[in-house]
């Protein structure tokens, strides 16, 4: 019985060799799964411990279930995560059930609204009833990587976290039609400001120049202390950054605008398939039920936030004159430390 997350504490101190969850996507987060996994134990070497779950696509917890079981590996294939836990996703559609596949139940499922029909009849995990971005289409908005011309302008957006993931997205601007091409992501927790700066420098070795960008304003806050902020630390490491515009509603609208299909038939923004975390969040982020014009901030949204900061920075292509002017600025000497210089 798990009506609320706090109900897991009723099982504190217990030991189980088999734990099963029914309709696990009704759980908004993986908290209950993680806690009860700590009760899965035995001292008998002859007993093998198991956790089993059933689920339908959709529900408030579909995003974390999809990330844990479906995204890492093809269906019906066992895989071992970084902690040594073995998992497998076994799909089962209506047609796999010989007792129901040719009954009125199938007709009823076929009559459902599009999203519910895709979830319950087709077993589609890429659609969501309350999706914040229902227009996001992997077939249309996700592309294979290609070589980006050196002269295209490049920008990045950064959402910093330590206990949660730090997320960085890099994008290039196609000068022909100002399409945003998101070509790289960084998604990792436990990073200090210096760690993040060093990782970004390493990632940008493939770029023709250091990519300027915007960083979450919280990383510049100096509340309660006088030492260097996260933002200052990253800038001192050589990254050209400014505080991001964090207007949530305007930022979400800008992403909707970029997901539109232009007159040419091409979306105004495409994403390389090497950015799985950003793709996953755009697929699974739910709308806030109390404030539908925003996303549900309880869901994982770090890559989305980095993208939102980036699109709010007004990314655009640059003329050759602008590129030359910026290049000359980068060549000019700037004192990074007031105690050092001539």
């Amino acid at each position: 019985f798990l009506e609320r997350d706090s109900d897991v504490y009723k099982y504190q101190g217990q030991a189980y060799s088999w734990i099963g969850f029914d309709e696990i996507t009704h759980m908004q987060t993986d908290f209950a799964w993680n806690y009860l996994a700590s009760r899965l134990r035995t001292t008998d070497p002859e007993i093998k411990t198991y956790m089993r779950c059933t689920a339908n696509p959709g529900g408030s917890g579909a995003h974390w279930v999809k990330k844990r079981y479906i995204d890492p590996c093809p269906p019906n294939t066992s895989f071992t995560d970084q902690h040594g836990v073995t998992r497998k996703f076994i799909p089962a559609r209506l047609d796999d059930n010989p007792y129901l596949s040719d009954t009125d139940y199938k007709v009823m499922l076929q009559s459902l609204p599009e999203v519910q029909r895709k979830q319950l009849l087709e077993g589609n995990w890429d659609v969501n009833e309350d999706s914040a971005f229902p227009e996001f289409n992997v077939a249309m908005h996700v592309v294979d990587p290609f070589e980006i011309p050196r002269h295209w302008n490049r920008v990045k957006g950064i959402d910093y976290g330590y206990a949660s993931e730090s997320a960085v997205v890099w994008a290039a601007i196609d000068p022909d039609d100002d399409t945003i091409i998101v070509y790289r992501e960084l998604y990792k927790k436990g990073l200090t400001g210096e760690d993040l700066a060093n990782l970004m420098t390493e990632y940008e070795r493939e770029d023709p120049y250091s990519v300027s960008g915007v960083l979450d304003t919280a990383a510049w806050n100096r509340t309660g202390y006088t030492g260097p902020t996260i933002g200052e630390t990253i800038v001192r490491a050589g990254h050209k950054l400014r505080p991001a515009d964090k207007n949530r509603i305007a930022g979400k609208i800008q992403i909707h605008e970029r997901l539109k299909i232009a007159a040419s038939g091409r979306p105004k923004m495409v994403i390389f398939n090497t950015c799985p975390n950003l793709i996953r969040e755009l697929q699974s982020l739910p709308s806030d039920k109390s404030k539908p014009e925003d996303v549900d901030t309880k869901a994982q949204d770090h890559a989305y936030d980095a993208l939102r900061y980036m699109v709010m920075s007004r990314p655009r292509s640059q003329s050759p004159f602008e590129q030359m002017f910026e290049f000359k600025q980068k060549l000019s000497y700037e004192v990074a430390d007031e105690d050092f210089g001539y």
Side-chain angles (χ1 to χ4, degrees), residues 23-161:
E23 296 289 359
I24 197 171
T25 51
H26 288 183
M27 297 180 183
Q28 188 168 11
T29 72
D30 59 358
F31 174 79
W33 191 102
N34 291 331
Y35 184 86
L36 288 176
S38 71
R39 310 297 96 195
L40 190 71
R41 56 193 178 185
T42 180
T43 58
D44 188 338
E46 299 297 321
I47 296 178
K48 187 171 178 62
T49 57
Y50 293 94
M51 291 184 76
R52 294 290 184 264
C53 311
T54 69
N56 277 306
S60 59
H63 58 284
W64 72 264
V65 175
K66 183 174 182 288
K67 180 181 178 182
R68 184 184 294 268
Y69 289 103
I70 298 166
D71 291 341
C73 199
N76 295 309
T77 305
S78 295
F79 65 95
T80 303
D81 69 12
Q82 68 270 30
H83 304 297
V85 177
T86 302
R87 299 193 178 104
K88 180 192 287 188
F89 167 57
I90 304 173
R93 299 182 182 179
L94 180 64
D95 290 339
D96 297 313
N97 188 326
Y99 300 100
L100 288 175
S101 58
D102 293 322
T103 65
D104 290 342
Y105 181 57
K106 183 173 184 178
V107 177
M108 184 274 292
L109 292 181
Q110 291 172 331
S111 69
L112 292 174
E114 182 180 10
V115 171
Q116 289 182 325
R117 185 180 70 251
K118 288 183 177 181
Q119 290 173 338
L120 300 179
L121 181 61
E122 302 173 15
N124 190 327
W125 286 82
D126 293 329
V127 295
N128 198 327
E129 187 73 50
D130 57 350
S131 174
F133 299 100
E135 71 270 44
F136 182 74
N137 185 330
V138 171
M140 183 70 71
H141 294 101
V142 178
V143 299
D144 292 331
F146 57 85
E147 185 174 354
I148 296 175
R150 294 177 64 85
H151 68 278
W152 285 13
N153 187 36
R154 306 180 187 216
V155 293
K156 65 190 175 194
I158 308 169
D159 182 55
Y160 177 75

Side-chain angles (χ1 to χ4, degrees), residues 326 328 341:
E326 183 172 330
K328 287 181 177 180

Side-chain angles (χ1 to χ4, degrees), residues 134-327:
E135 71 270 44
F136 182 74
N137 185 330
V138 171
M140 183 70 71
H141 294 101
V142 178
V143 299
D144 292 331
F146 57 85
E147 185 174 354
I148 296 175
R150 294 177 64 85
H151 68 278
W152 285 13
N153 187 36
R154 306 180 187 216
V155 293
K156 65 190 175 194
I158 308 169
D159 182 55
Y160 177 75
Y162 184 84
S164 58
E165 286 82 1
S166 288
V168 187
V169 295
W170 284 264
I173 315 301
D174 187 335
D176 290 338
D177 56 9
D178 277 343
T179 298
I180 294 177
I181 294 95
V182 180
Y183 64 90
R184 183 191 298 136
E185 72 171 17
L186 186 162
Y187 199 82
K188 190 174 182 180
K189 65 172 58 176
L191 298 177
T192 65
E194 185 175 347
D195 292 336
L196 179 58
N198 291 338
L199 262 181
M200 288 194 296
T201 299
E202 187 64 30
Y203 278 40
E204 290 180 12
R205 291 190 188 281
E206 303 174 10
D207 295 315
Y209 51 83
S210 178
V211 181
S212 61
V214 290
L215 171 64
D216 181 3
T217 54
W220 304 87
N221 290 343
R222 196 184 293 278
T223 305
Y225 69 100
T226 58
T229 65
I230 299 298
E232 290 171 343
T233 299
I234 298 175
V235 168
R236 286 184 179 181
H239 293 274
K240 186 178 179 181
L241 302 174
R242 67 180 191 271
D245 183 337
K246 292 186 66 173
N247 188 303
R248 298 189 61 85
I249 308 304
K252 182 172 181 289
I253 291 173
Q254 279 297 310
I255 293 180
H256 283 298
E257 185 64 37
R258 290 292 181 172
L259 291 175
K260 284 183 179 179
I261 308 302
S264 63
R266 183 188 191 188
K268 298 179 182 178
M269 177 174 67
V270 295
I271 304 169
F272 279 9
N273 60 19
T274 50
C275 303
N277 294 289
L278 177 59
I279 294 168
R280 170 180 52 80
E281 290 185 7
L282 288 177
Q283 284 180 315
S284 62
L285 263 176
S287 297
D288 189 327
K289 287 183 172 57
S290 62
K291 196 175 183 181
E293 61 270 23
D294 196 3
V295 305
D296 186 347
T297 56
K298 294 179 182 178
Q300 281 194 322
D301 60 356
H302 312 297
Y304 161 74
D305 281 343
L307 178 68
R308 178 165 56 86
Y309 301 154
M310 189 266 291
V311 298
M312 286 293 283
S313 69
R314 298 179 179 84
R316 60 183 182 86
S317 59
Q318 291 180 314
S319 67
F321 175 80
E322 290 172 319
Q323 290 180 333
M324 182 59 67
F325 180 74
E326 183 172 330
F327 180 68

